[in-house]
């Protein structure tokens, strides 16, 4: 009997093969989409343009909406690909017309985007990460820590979703009512550079939303090695979040300065390739009694000498528990006047959406994700 049982085959059922991973087509450039369709689905290359335009001109969220594709192709796309969604979780409207949107990602994270309409433009402030690793001490987003990077599709989906919201809210026919994009939302854009670059490629594509390089600005706290790559590999505008006139100040408020100090940062700015007539924007958050003195203004003039620059002065948007206060209007104007006398173009930025915590430095998902959740350790270049 033992000999007979030894000869019987093993009848333990084998595990079922894992389902193939779905490809996030909303994160692909046109070239990447063409490669997927031809090599993986056996389709002709021209189909990529059709799918891409549905995704990034019309901003559809399902393959069923792509009505000029055959049912067979739509079925193949449903089986092998996906469009990663962002779900609108919350909408808050400010007294000044600013609208803050909170979106929920597939994995239950929250990000925020801010729509700022004005007479001559419709601007969206876009997020690039869930949380932020930079830990600037005056910024609420920094209290969250970094949860994860956003994919190119999640970055672009903020634009598509708000385009759709604005179109419906304002009764517009155009698929792209937004005119300007500023990457100044949650996260440090250059800390998620590869995904940012792919998202910019999609957003600037003629087959996509077709935003002009003149109407896109990316802000950084000063990741010096990435500033060089940003200048070489993209053509959009650069903004530097400076916020101090000495290393001592910047070390206290912006930990990144301990790795790349003001001298290193401004040297990178001097080497930055600028299109003719373009300037680097320096953002300077005015913190009462900390960096808003006449001496600070004179030091700032000296620091920026030789750099084609303009300065956006940002009266601080107070955040609970962070210990900083807003510079009064008169002091901000005096600071601006000193810069102007030193031949620095300076402007006091109108803060939008303060009453809904939608202004600069206030994005923190206050009724969303718990800041105490586990975070990724920052890996700086």
């Amino acid at each position: 009997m033992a000999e007979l049982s030894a000869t019987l085959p093993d009848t333990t059922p084998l595990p079922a093969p894992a389902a193939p991973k779905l490809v996030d087509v909303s994160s692909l450039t046109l070239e990447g989409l063409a490669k997927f369709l031809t090599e993986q689905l056996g389709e002709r290359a021209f189909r990529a343009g059709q799918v891409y335009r549905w995704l990034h001109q019309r901003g559809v969220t399902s393959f069923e909406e792509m009505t000029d594709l055959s049912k067979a192709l739509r079925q193949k796309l449903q089986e092998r690909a996906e469009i990663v969604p962002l779900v609108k979780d919350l909408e808050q409207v400010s007294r000044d017309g600013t609208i803050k949107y909170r979106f929920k990602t597939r994995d239950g994270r929250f990000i925020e985007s801010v729509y700022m309409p004005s007479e001559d433009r419709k601007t969206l402030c876009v997020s690039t990460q869930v949380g932020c690793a930079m830990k600037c001490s005056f910024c609420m987003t920094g209290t969250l820590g970094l949860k994860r990077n956003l994919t190119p599709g999640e970055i672009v989906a903020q634009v598509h979703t708000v385009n759709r919201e604005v179109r419906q809210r304002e009764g517009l026919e155009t698929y792209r009512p937004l005119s300007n994009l500023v990457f100044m939302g949650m996260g440090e854009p250059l800390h998620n550079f590869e995904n940012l670059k792919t998202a910019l490629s999609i957003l600037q594509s003629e087959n996509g939303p077709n935003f002009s390089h003149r109407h896109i600005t990316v802000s950084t706290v000063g990741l010096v090695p990435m500033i060089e790559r940003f200048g070489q590999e993209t053509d959009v505008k650069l903004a530097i979040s400076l916020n101090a006139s000495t290393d001592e100040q910047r070390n206290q408020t912006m930990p990144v300065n301990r790795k790349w100090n003001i001298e290193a940062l401004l040297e990178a700015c001097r080497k930055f390739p600028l299109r003719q007539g373009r300037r680097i924007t320096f953002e300077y958050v005015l913190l009462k009694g900390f960096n808003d003195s006449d001496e600070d203004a004179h030091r700032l003039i000296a620091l920026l000498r030789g750099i084609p620059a303009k300065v956006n002065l940002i009266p601080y948007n107070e955040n609970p528990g962070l210990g900083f206060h807003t510079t009064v209007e008169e002091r901000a104007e005096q600071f601006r006047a000193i810069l102007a006398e030193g031949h620095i173009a300076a402007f006091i930025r109108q803060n939008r959406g303060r009453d809904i915590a939608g202004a600069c430095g206030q994005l923190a998902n206050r009724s969303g994700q718990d800041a105490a959740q586990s975070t990724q350790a920052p890996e700086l270049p």
Side-chain angles (χ1 to χ4, degrees), residues 57-166:
Q57 281 186 352
R58 299 192 177 190
V60 303
T61 57
S62 73
F63 297 118
E64 280 304 307
E65 296 174 80
M66 301 179 181
T67 53
D68 63 350
L69 303 183
S70 68
K71 287 186 177 180
L73 175 52
R74 280 181 277 170
Q75 182 63 35
K76 282 199 285 186
L77 286 168
Q78 288 175 340
E79 292 171 355
R80 300 289 298 278
E82 62 180 343
I83 304 169
V84 175
L86 283 179
V87 177
K88 186 176 77 169
D89 180 71
L90 182 67
E91 175 183 318
Q92 295 172 277
V93 181
S94 168
R95 290 187 295 269
D96 62 25
T98 298
I99 303 175
K100 183 173 73 171
Y101 296 98
R102 189 173 74 202
F103 298 113
K104 188 174 184 179
T105 65
R106 173 176 289 179
D107 60 346
R109 306 291 190 177
F110 293 90
I111 59 171
E112 293 177 330
S113 311
V114 182
Y115 169 55
M116 297 167 287
S118 62
E119 289 186 5
D120 62 340
R121 65 189 64 187
K122 299 179 186 295
T123 302
L124 182 67
C125 181
V126 182
S127 293
T128 54
Q129 295 178 311
V130 184
C132 184
M134 299 299 108
K135 299 189 182 300
C136 300
S137 60
F138 50 82
C139 177
M140 282 300 292
T141 310
T143 65
L144 297 174
L146 176 63
K147 310 305 180 183
R148 67 169 175 83
N149 287 329
L150 294 180
T151 66
E154 290 171 325
I155 295 171
V156 171
Q158 296 169 70
V159 179
H160 293 333
T161 306
V162 175
N163 267 327
R164 189 162 52 249
E165 292 281 332
V166 174

